[in-house]
Amino acid sequence: MPTTESTVGEHSPTLALAFELLRRPSVTPDDEGCQELMIERLAALGFEIERLPFGEVKNFWAVRGERGPMLAFAGHTDVVPSGPAERWQSPPFEPMIDADGMLRGRGAADMKGSLAAMLTAVERFVAAHPDHPGRLAFLITSDEEGPAVDGTRAVVEHLRARGEQVDYCIVGEPSSTAYLGDTIKNGRRGSLGGVLRVHGIQGHVAYPHLARNPIHQALPALDALASEHWDSGNDFFPATSFQISNVNAGTGATNVIPGEVEVVFNFRFSTEVTADELKARTEAILSAHGLDYTLAWTLNGEPFLTAEGALVDATLAGVERITGKRPALSTSGGTSDGRFIATLGTQVVELGPLNDTIHKVDERVRAADLDALSEVYEATIEALFVSETSPTAEVSA
């Protein structure tokens, strides 16, 4: 029989908290009380809470500990819209566990399940080590699924301005593919977007000599951009990719040559090339084709990489200790808020549940995976802070 929120008290602390978060319809940028629920529990553990609203976005920064290396957990309480509720097997904001042991609800995988696992992991760790070395922190936003301007990006700039040092950060994005913990993201490609407008002269299709068709002019240049070898990638990143996502032109009439064509494109780029180099090479190709154009750029994020070291080693050990399997390191996928945190000089990894249903109708995650994920997070904290080989132990010695 399906399990509904009415029986949530029968579940583990992690699942009980996940239920509480999932039933709040926190569609970006709304938080719907999710952060206050987390804040109440963190304050009870002795965390100092700093609410950081920017614009219409709610964020908070919470810290426990006075000195030593800092490990931050980062995540977001906002979710994408559910889509047509009638297409869901159960209401998207009424969490339930089905007969197959799957926790269903918008945000189960992305990423309220991770938030619950993070918090309960810290609760257990603090109970076992009330005077733990090092510092623990939470950076939580409600603007990851939206413009991502007034969320983690703004909090990071706030922390940078006052010289806050964040040594390590685990972002709870769903990183796993086939089973829990099979993949840890230790970096992400950069994302550079462009909106190209090629200007022509509108006219009648029967009199092309009196017009200038911007579509015809743009096509050879776009083919050159699509065929260009931008780089070969490296041991950590695939080759840079150029992709056109939208082409818009025309007046709606079949007998009118348009006066302009708009092309929307994106680079996902490696550390082998910079955003400025991509801009310069793109503009050189467009100019070589004699186009009359305007081009607006948006840098969504620089590439970042956390090489093997203290955080990667601790996370690998934590996963292997709980699951018995060694994860793979990967930089694939889209962007995440890790790109902002990495600019602080922070070692950043992403680790969370399976990502196969994120943003889909009937988003779900195996309920048992959230309990295991919480244990992985706890094991990672222990590897960083209290094991004999932890960086904190080395500093203390």
Side-chain angles (χ1 to χ4, degrees):
M1 293 294 292
T3 302
T4 66
E5 57 186 347
S6 63
T7 57
V8 83
E10 301 174 6
H11 295 302
S12 68
T14 299
L15 289 175
L17 179 55
F19 268 77
E20 290 296 319
L21 293 169
L22 287 168
R23 63 179 166 189
R24 289 168 164 79
S26 54
V27 176
T28 190
D30 296 330
D31 171 69
E32 296 294 330
C34 292
Q35 291 184 21
E36 288 303 320
L37 177 62
M38 296 182 68
I39 285 171
E40 181 180 356
R41 303 214 7 193
L42 290 170
L45 295 175
F47 277 78
E48 294 184 8
I49 309 298
E50 188 176 3
R51 293 174 176 83
L52 295 170
F54 294 104
E56 297 181 353
V57 175
K58 290 184 177 180
N59 311 285
F60 77 83
W61 172 250
V63 180
R64 187 183 198 277
E66 298 297 329
R67 61 186 184 278
M70 175 185 285
L71 168 64
F73 285 100
H76 59 92
T77 55
D78 59 319
V79 298
V80 297
S82 65
E86 63 273 12
R87 292 180 54 195
W88 287 65
Q89 293 187 26
S90 58
F93 296 107
E94 295 180 15
M96 54 89 75
I97 298 177
D98 64 21
D100 295 322
M102 304 299 291
L103 173 61
R104 294 175 172 270
R106 173 58 83 220
D110 188 14
M111 59 170 285
K112 292 181 177 180
S114 295
L115 294 180
M118 289 174 179
L119 205 154
T120 55
V122 169
E123 287 177 332
R124 292 192 307 274
F125 177 79
V126 170
H129 308 280
D131 300 318
H132 62 82
R135 295 173 295 158
L136 292 169
F138 279 76
L139 193 170
I140 307 299
T141 183
S142 62
D143 184 39
E144 197 274 346
E145 301 290 7
V149 171
D150 291 325
T152 300
R153 183 200 297 261
V155 175
V156 164
E157 291 310 310
H158 176 79
L159 298 178
R160 190 196 316 278
R162 70 184 189 199
E164 188 84 63
Q165 181 178 348
V166 183
D167 301 279
Y168 315 115
C169 181
I170 298 175
V171 185
E173 289 293 343
S175 63
S176 304
T177 55
Y179 57 85
L180 178 69
D182 61 353
T183 304
I184 295 172
K185 305 282 188 180
N186 67 321
R188 293 279 189 163
R189 294 175 293 174
S191 175
L192 175 65
V195 179
L196 168 69
R197 289 183 172 87
V198 178
H199 311 294
I201 298 176
Q202 182 174 319
H204 197 293
V205 297
Y207 301 94
H209 59 291
L210 300 178
R212 189 172 76 244
N213 194 320
I215 301 175
H216 292 183
Q217 289 192 308
L219 288 177
L222 296 179
D223 180 63
L225 289 170
S227 303
E228 178 75 0
H229 178 76
W230 302 98
D231 62 46
S232 299
N234 53 38
D235 290 343
F236 302 102
F237 292 94
T240 292
S241 168
F242 169 86
Q243 292 295 319
I244 296 170
S245 57
N246 283 283
V247 178
N248 300 296
T251 63
T254 60
N255 60 349
V256 177
I257 293 171
E260 183 177 277
V261 59
E262 179 188 81
V263 182
V264 182
F265 62 87
N266 179 267
F267 286 100
R268 293 301 165 103
F269 62 101
S270 76
T271 50
E272 293 295 303
V273 66
T274 67
D276 287 341
E277 288 172 343
L278 291 174
K279 292 177 184 179
R281 290 172 62 183
T282 299
E283 292 169 11
I285 290 172
L286 296 174
S287 297
H289 284 78
L291 300 183
D292 177 12
Y293 72 92
T294 56
L295 179 53
W297 293 101
T298 301
L299 178 60
N300 300 303
E302 296 279 5
F304 72 92
L305 177 71
T306 297
E308 292 194 41
L311 180 60
V312 168
D313 292 348
T315 311
L316 289 170
V319 173
E320 192 167 15
R321 173 178 155 188
I322 301 305
T323 69
K325 298 178 180 179
R326 188 77 168 175
L329 299 176
S330 171
T331 61
S332 65
T335 59
S336 79
D337 277 358
R339 69 191 190 273
F340 305 127
I341 300 166
T343 65
L344 294 172
T346 305
Q347 296 181 35
V348 179
V349 299
E350 299 172 29
L351 175 61
L354 270 66
N355 56 25
D356 56 333
T357 65
I358 59 174
H359 293 203
K360 292 183 178 181
V361 168
D362 288 326
E363 181 179 349
R364 57 198 179 275
V365 64
R366 187 165 298 282
D369 280 356
L370 296 187
D371 286 322
L373 179 61
S374 183
E375 293 178 9
V376 167
Y377 288 153
E378 183 183 12
T380 302
I381 303 171
E382 291 176 345
L384 277 171
F385 284 168
V386 299
S387 75
E388 293 182 359
T389 58
S390 72
T392 304
E394 293 171 6
V395 170
S396 301

